[in-house]
């Protein structure tokens, strides 16, 4: 659980930096060869411009460190526990926003931070070890297909109608990060030949890239509450179900009810804090 919480700290801090960078990139003058907005070229160009922002680079560095923590956590904890911990990164985002961006948290919002922490505590007490099932080839290819869908969604994000765009892109980003969570568990052999032949490896890479592109597109304009909430839902519920049903994740004996309650409490608390993905204009 320590590694899962370390990942949450890294991801939560990166969210503020990336939101600021995405907006700065969207407002920056574009090269005449770039689509300013509204199409695959525009969103890919947005990502390239964001990569020139030091805040985005710093955020990516933290994301990379968080990913290493995430891999370590997924190798010893059930997916549902890791997913809830990652959703709790929004509590970190809220605290960072309050500290560095001078965002004032109300008493209710501080209570939501406490709710997230309580949910994680419940999960920590009830979580068993990771499931022992290896996962089928069908599941690996399903993850790859989902990852490709997320990437296409990210590339076409600028063409989506404004109404519902943020939620759809946020859910897409969440599904992409969820693919990463599941795919890490589906990589069971690390020899070069096994990695090349494993569809989960490609799903992991494509899903991560698609998730970053979709999230960057979602954060470039407007409030980020809706896409952030969509991302939390997408990266927690689906992977948790897959972990329990297909990979054999379990709780400690007799504590299944506590794990379910802790998961729900942590996710609800994270959703209450979704607006703290917001960076000031």
């Amino acid at each position: 659980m320590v590694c899962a919480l370390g990942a949450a700290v890294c991801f939560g801090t990166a969210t503020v930096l990336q939101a600021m960078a995405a907006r700065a990139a969207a407002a920056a003058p574009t090269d005449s060869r770039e689509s300013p907005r509204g199409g695959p070229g525009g969103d890919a160009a947005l990502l390239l411009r964001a990569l020139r922002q030091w805040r985005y680079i710093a955020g990516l560095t933290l994301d990379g460190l968080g990913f290493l923590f995430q891999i370590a956590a997924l190798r010893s904890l059930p997916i549902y526990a890791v997913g809830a911990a990652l959703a709790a990164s929004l509590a970190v985002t809220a605290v960072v926003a309050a500290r560095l961006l001078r965002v004032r948290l109300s008493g209710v919002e501080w209570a939501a931070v406490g709710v997230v922490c309580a949910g994680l505590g419940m999960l920590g007490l009830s979580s068993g070890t990771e499931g022992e099932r290896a996962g089928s080839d069908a599941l690996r290819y399903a993850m790859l297909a989902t990852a490709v869908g997320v990437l296409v969604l990210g590339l076409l994000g600028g063409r989506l109608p404004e109404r519902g765009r943020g939620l759809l892109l946020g859910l897409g980003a969440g599904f992409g990060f969820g693919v990463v969570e599941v795919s890490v568990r589906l990589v069971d052999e690390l020899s070069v030949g096994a990695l090349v032949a494993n569809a989960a490896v490609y799903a992991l890479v494509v899903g991560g890239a698609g998730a970053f592109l979709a999230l960057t597109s979602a954060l470039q304009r407007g409030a980020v509450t809706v896409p952030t909430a969509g991302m939390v839902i997408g990266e927690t519920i689906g992977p948790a179900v897959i972990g329990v049903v297909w990979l054999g994740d379990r709780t400690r004996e007799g504590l299944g009810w506590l794990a379910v309650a802790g998961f729900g409490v942590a996710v609800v608390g994270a959703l209450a804090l979704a607006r703290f993905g917001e960076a000031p204009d």
Side-chain angles (χ1 to χ4, degrees), residues 142-193:
M143 290 300 101
L144 180 56
T146 303
V148 171
V150 170
L151 181 60
V152 171
L153 176 65
L155 289 172
L156 297 178
R159 290 184 173 179
L160 296 174
E162 210 55 45
R163 184 179 178 83
R165 176 181 182 275
L167 178 60
L168 184 58
L169 286 171
L171 281 170
F175 289 148
F177 291 130
V179 165
V180 171
E181 293 174 31
V182 176
S183 296
V184 167
R185 286 279 298 278
L186 295 175
V187 177
D188 48 10
E189 202 175 325
L190 299 180
S191 66
V192 174

Side-chain angles (χ1 to χ4, degrees), residues 56-92:
Y56 201 85
I57 297 298
L60 285 178
T61 301
L62 286 173
D63 281 329
L65 181 59
F67 181 62
L68 294 178
F69 283 133
Q70 180 182 359
I71 291 176
L74 286 166
R75 289 299 182 180
S76 59
L77 288 174
I79 292 177
Y80 64 79
V82 177
L86 296 182
S89 65
L90 289 175
V92 177

